[in-house]
Amino acid sequence: MGRTGNAKAYQVAINSMVKFVGRESVDIKEITVKFLNDWIKWIGEQPARKNCKKGGRAQSLYLAEVRAMYNRAKKEFNDEEAGVILIPFSPFAKVDIPKAPLTRKRALTVEQMREFAQVPYSTILQQGCNRFNLAKDVFLLSFLLIGMNAVDLYNATDYKDGRITYQRTKTRYRRADGAEISIRVEPEAQALFDKYKDPTGQRVFKFYKLYSSMDSFSAALNKGLKKIGNSLGIDDLEFYAARHTWATIATNDAEVDKYTVHTALNHVDENMRVTDIYIRKSWDSIDKANRKVQDFMNWDLSDVVEPKK
């Protein structure tokens, strides 16, 4: 279905199970309550590796992903009306799967965000893309576009009348509306928008011309952000922090109500699903919210020229 991020997460869970059993194939009948409890214990005993999940978070995610596959298999191969029940058990219902620990808040403070914007570009010494400068620009661009994710910046194709309209990759398959949202490009974002605008018009931004895949683009951003974070004394700075930062500043400093922030981040309120069917979409509230945030920041981001040697 094109959900490469989810596919990779499922593959990691499968790899863990393969390592646990010591072979490439697992019969679905082997997945019992004891099997799952033993796997949970084994995951918790594994040494932590760089960029790998461990402990409660890994136990929660891996089990949830295998449970989804298990239930999908039951749906595909069982036919209750015909009395064909090839997978009769529900072992996951009897296992106490550890809950994932709450992730730490990754938002920058207002002062840190302003300091981030003032970080000087590094000098370009060779042809190609300078990851430090790219990371700074794209992080700011994400913040200016209400926390737009890197994958959506990379893939966006719809720009018209000063607005970027896209379907959020992370949730578009879970939403009846395809998680569509439209963001107005504010004046503060114009210089960065013009700097990375795709001259061919095939996509909104030319990031796909700089990096041949989303993975390489994401890796470049995070490597650049690590260097910027180190220079500012911000530990483990990640791209997603731009989204967290916009939401935090909007709520705590720009006096935007939480429901509007919730809408601007393109989340779904489960209690409002039916109501949403009857309401014509309007982007006015999120336009006003972003304007409040940018007015509060009160910054000039027009100088986007990188020094060259």
Side-chain angles (χ1 to χ4, degrees):
M1 296 172 68
R3 298 166 65 178
T4 56
N6 277 1
K8 288 179 181 178
Y10 276 73
Q11 189 61 58
V12 171
I14 293 170
N15 291 345
S16 173
M17 179 183 284
V18 164
K19 188 175 179 181
F20 167 63
V21 298
R23 48 192 158 82
E24 293 291 325
S25 177
V26 178
D27 191 301
I28 200 163
K29 293 178 182 177
E30 295 180 64
I31 302 179
T32 62
V33 172
K34 183 179 184 308
F35 178 97
L36 295 175
N37 282 327
D38 288 346
W39 186 27
I40 290 171
K41 181 181 177 182
W42 178 86
I43 293 171
E45 293 171 348
Q46 300 310 297
R49 291 185 298 164
K50 187 177 181 181
N51 298 326
C52 288
K53 302 176 180 69
K54 183 174 184 300
R57 185 162 176 75
Q59 292 164 333
S60 175
L61 291 175
Y62 296 171
L63 271 289
E65 284 150 358
V66 172
R67 177 178 59 196
M69 288 186 277
Y70 189 95
N71 290 338
R72 182 66 175 264
K74 291 183 69 171
K75 183 177 180 180
E76 182 170 342
F77 295 106
N78 288 354
D79 187 342
E80 294 182 3
E81 293 183 356
V84 178
I85 309 296
L86 300 179
I87 308 171
F89 304 114
S90 299
F92 289 90
K94 302 175 183 178
V95 173
D96 186 15
I97 300 175
K99 292 183 179 180
L102 293 175
T103 55
R104 62 181 176 83
K105 299 298 183 183
R106 293 176 284 185
L108 276 61
T109 65
V110 172
E111 293 73 20
Q112 286 175 323
M113 195 64 199
R114 286 177 175 149
E115 190 178 1
F116 182 99
Q118 294 301 314
V119 170
Y121 285 126
S122 63
T123 303
I124 301 175
L125 300 176
Q126 60 189 30
Q127 287 188 340
C129 207
N130 182 305
R131 292 184 303 204
F132 184 97
N133 297 345
L134 177 81
K136 177 190 173 181
D137 284 348
V138 183
F139 188 90
L140 285 171
L141 194 57
S142 173
F143 179 89
L144 292 162
L145 297 173
I146 314 184
M148 193 169 175
N149 290 344
V151 64
D152 296 318
L153 288 165
Y154 186 86
N155 291 322
T157 58
D158 187 349
Y159 175 72
K160 185 179 180 182
D161 298 329
R163 307 191 69 89
I164 300 173
T165 302
Y166 67 98
Q167 292 180 322
R168 190 176 177 223
T169 301
K170 188 173 182 179
T171 55
R172 65 183 175 186
Y173 293 107
R174 302 182 223 158
R175 301 255 303 266
D177 64 353
E180 183 179 83
I181 191 167
S182 181
I183 308 295
R184 184 174 66 194
V185 178
E186 298 294 336
E188 291 84 351
Q190 195 62 54
L192 287 170
F193 180 91
D194 292 340
K195 181 176 179 178
Y196 292 102
K197 185 177 181 181
D198 182 9
T200 70
Q202 289 183 280
R203 301 191 192 184
V204 178
F205 300 107
K206 62 180 180 181
F207 301 126
Y208 74 103
K209 291 182 173 292
L210 303 175
Y211 293 92
S212 61
S213 71
M214 180 55 214
D215 284 345
S216 59
F217 178 55
S218 180
L221 291 176
N222 283 314
K223 286 178 181 178
L225 285 174
K226 291 294 183 294
K227 292 182 178 180
I228 297 175
N230 290 338
S231 71
L232 296 175
I234 302 172
D235 293 333
D236 198 26
L237 179 60
E238 296 178 342
F239 189 80
Y240 210 67
R243 187 174 176 84
H244 284 251
T245 302
W246 187 94
T248 300
I249 292 176
T251 304
N252 296 344
D253 302 292
E255 299 182 347
V256 179
D257 65 274
K258 284 188 177 180
Y259 184 81
T260 301
V261 171
H262 179 88
T263 304
L265 294 177
N266 207 11
H267 292 164
V268 171
D269 186 340
E270 294 295 337
N271 297 321
M272 300 293 286
R273 273 186 183 272
V274 176
T275 305
D276 287 341
I277 294 173
Y278 298 96
I279 300 176
R280 179 178 61 82
K281 278 191 175 182
S282 170
W283 312 116
D284 290 349
S285 64
I286 66 173
D287 289 347
K288 292 176 182 176
N290 197 24
R291 190 62 259 155
K292 280 187 175 183
V293 171
Q294 305 313 324
D295 286 342
F296 176 83
M297 294 304 295
N298 189 28
W299 51 9
D300 181 1
L301 303 175
S302 60
D303 184 4
V304 296
V305 178
E306 302 174 45
K308 297 182 180 180
K309 184 175 180 180

